[in-house]
Amino acid sequence: LARACLLLLPLDMLNQILLATEQGRMRWRRYNLLRASFFLCYAVLILLVWAGGKAGVTWFVLAFLASHVIALTIRVAVQWTSFLGGRLDLAKCVRLVRSGIPYFWSTASNLVSLQADKILVVGLMRTDAVGMYAAAVTFSNAHSALGEALGITSFAVLANETNMERQARILS
């Protein structure tokens, strides 16, 4: 089951790339609808698992992975005409990857540090304490959704702004 969860890595990466194109184009309505597609699919599949009386971990994992596949399918379908009208420019792809390489290790270490506490908590604490930790972390991170939304929006606005004075105002 843990190996099956590894399918999440390419599925989530592709889903995030397709969402990023909507973010970069500042199509916020489409971005939010496509972002919600995963959660809606997952909720429906969880309800089906519950209605079928199959509430085991395997069914929840399958519903989770299936939701990612469905969301990816929806996102590809929505952008299909963009794919057909576009062309692959390998030089631009290489330039984009090269410009991101300096940030790889800092991003990777940030992701590891975000997960290290969970690994320690699950490994060292009793089950009831882990549940309380999960509730506390969820409650303490409730405000981060606003900051994340502001960051996503301002990044896209800044990236699309060509006037240096306006860029400075956005950053300030």
Side-chain angles (χ1 to χ4, degrees):
L1 191 59
R3 283 189 209 112
C5 287
L6 290 175
L7 292 172
L8 177 63
L9 296 173
L11 288 172
D12 189 52
M13 189 168 28
L14 291 170
N15 270 314
Q16 295 303 321
I17 288 169
L18 291 172
L19 273 179
T21 59
E22 299 303 333
Q23 175 187 348
R25 291 178 179 156
M26 296 191 316
R27 295 180 182 165
W28 301 116
R29 182 174 292 132
R30 186 188 281 186
Y31 172 83
N32 286 323
L33 289 171
L34 290 175
R35 192 170 174 214
S37 67
F38 165 76
F39 300 105
L40 293 172
C41 292
Y42 189 50
V44 167
L45 290 176
I46 292 300
L47 288 173
L48 290 173
V49 166
W50 172 74
K54 308 240 185 218
V57 173
T58 302
W59 286 101
F60 283 97
V61 168
L62 291 174
F64 186 69
L65 291 173
S67 299
H68 275 283
V69 170
I70 294 168
L72 180 62
T73 304
I74 291 169
R75 292 168 188 177
V76 168
V78 165
Q79 297 206 10
W80 188 251
T81 55
S82 293
F83 294 143
L84 293 177
R87 63 178 171 73
L88 181 62
D89 186 345
L90 289 176
K92 286 183 181 179
C93 292
V94 168
R95 190 173 71 223
L96 181 63
V97 169
R98 279 189 183 152
S99 66
I101 286 174
Y103 306 100
F104 175 78
W105 290 112
S106 64
T107 303
S109 64
N110 187 30
L111 292 172
V112 168
S113 70
L114 289 172
Q115 300 304 318
D117 66 325
K118 294 176 185 93
I119 294 167
L120 289 172
V121 165
V122 169
L124 300 174
M125 297 176 84
R126 296 184 332 269
T127 305
D128 59 331
V130 171
M132 300 220 4
Y133 173 80
V137 167
T138 301
F139 182 74
S140 67
N141 286 328
H143 69 285
S144 66
L146 179 61
E148 184 179 332
L150 181 61
I152 288 170
T153 306
S154 60
F155 178 79
V157 170
L158 181 65
N160 284 294
E161 182 57 60
T162 55
N163 184 307
M164 293 295 275
E165 287 181 29
R166 289 187 188 139
Q167 284 181 340
R169 258 190 307 222
I170 292 168
L171 283 173
S172 65

